[in-house]
Amino acid sequence: MVRIAARASAASRQPADVFQRIVNEVFQLQAAILRYGDTVGSNHGVSASRWQVLAVLARTPFSVAAIARRLGLKRQSVQRTTDLLVDEGLVEMIANPDHSRAKLGRLTPAGARVHAALAERQQQFCLDCARGISLGDLLRFERMLGVLRDRIDHADAQPRIERHVARATRGSKGGSKK
Amino acid sequence: MVRIAARASAASRQPADVFQRIVNEVFQLQAAILRYGDTVGSNHGVSASRWQVLAVLARTPFSVAAIARRLGLKRQSVQRTTDLLVDEGLVEMIANPDHSRAKLGRLTPAGARVHAALAERQQQFCLDCARGISLGDLLRFERMLGVLRDRIDHADAQPRIERHVARATRGSKGGSKK
DNA sequence: GTCGTGATGACAGTCTACTGCCAATTGGGG
DNA sequence: CCCCAATTGGCAGTAGACTGTCATCACGAC
């Protein structure tokens, strides 16, 4: 399908170059998703990150740590978002019979209304985006996302030379470079 | 314990459900990339975002705004990162014959050294990640990322019903949408 | 019953990206 | 020549995610 020899410059087909473009595209795709979520959500008074939390709690109450695991975020990040949602009256913390300290977040009636409105828009949005793309392509795409994530997570991120030395020089990241 | 509600939708093949899982995967893939970049970069004193700027400037000097366009970020974000890189001695601003105010960023010898070390690691990393994946699959994946981004960017993010009413009922966080 | 480990919530601080606003520069039209 | 729009840099403020740290709670080992 593609001639291998000539013109590798414009859009390089070297695996490493393709991969770098993919990294850039992933960043921009995530930014686009966040932009969309913020825009749609703002019409209902919530940002993309709050929407995410609402979506998790819409199914069934969860502790903050459980929400974080589902979203792939840190406890502390979700904690902050959840606190704000409680302040706004969209979420309430209810007692957890299994753990006196780890209360469960649950949508208030107001929170449920917001989520319902957003879910409806999201359904249409998803269908719009998926239109014309075969289910097989979508599933392949989803699988590839997972494969790449696995590989990146399991890649050896440590230097091959004096790992302990390099690690000792860390600790202040950017600030150490004065 | 964390098998939660994922069961019901775990293998859903409805396009909208697949799409929602894709969104989640994109977020986590981006987080994984950032984690990797920070880990590798920290061994050389730079974070993932600084690495990105160094990579752009490695080819040829650019103005801050030009870097931002290349990375798909806002001017102000890149400006801040670039200022820090200048403080750290990895980048220097040189005169721009075409614009007296928009100076061009260029790697200092120290910056070039850091970038060279990172580029070498990155090359190996990209090859590791792409191993076993056909070039065609990679290119298809790259194309799909672009397609989805286009659709999301061009999706109708506005409500179909009385936007001004919804906005009027907000108040606090609505400021972002002015 | 007591202790240690892990999970959890809470608080503080950092980093990065965003928006908003303003000043200076550039290039084109009136 | 002067004015205007677009571009650019600079500064301020906000949002969200991260790490680090500590106290508390649950649970199993002893």
Side-chain angles (χ1 to χ4, degrees), chain A residues 65 69 75-76 79 102:
Chain A
R69 279 190 294 269
R75 285 182 299 117
Q76 294 89 330
Q79 179 100 16

Side-chain angles (χ1 to χ4, degrees), chain B residues 31 63-65 69 75-76 79 83 99 101-103 173:
Chain B
S63 71
V64 167
R69 280 191 295 270
R75 285 184 300 115
Q76 294 88 333
Q79 178 103 1
D83 288 345
H99 196 302
R101 190 173 191 190
K103 298 203 177 89
K173 123 149 267 294

Side-chain angles (χ1 to χ4, degrees), chain B residues 151-162:
Chain B
R151 294 199 181 194
I152 294 173
D153 277 336
H154 298 136
D156 178 18
Q158 299 314 313
R160 291 143 211 274
I161 39 100
E162 288 105 348

Side-chain angles (χ1 to χ4, degrees), chain A residues 37-38 41-42 44-48 50-51 54 85 90 114 118, chain B residues 173:
Chain A
D38 277 334
S42 71
H44 298 270
V46 297
S47 61
R50 290 166 208 213
W51 183 356
L54 291 183
L85 285 171
L90 300 181
V114 170
L118 292 174
Chain B
K173 123 149 267 294

Side-chain angles (χ1 to χ4, degrees), chain A residues 5-57:
Chain A
R7 67 174 241 104
S9 43
S12 169
R13 306 180 99 79
Q14 294 304 309
D17 293 332
V18 176
F19 202 86
Q20 290 189 34
R21 290 203 304 275
I22 285 175
V23 167
N24 193 309
E25 274 297 324
V26 168
F27 276 58
Q28 301 201 28
L29 178 56
Q30 201 234 15
I33 295 171
L34 281 179
R35 258 197 311 277
Y36 179 88
D38 277 334
T39 303
V40 172
S42 71
N43 293 314
H44 298 270
V46 297
S47 61
S49 66
R50 290 166 208 213
W51 183 356
Q52 281 191 297
V53 172
L54 291 183
V56 172
L57 296 183

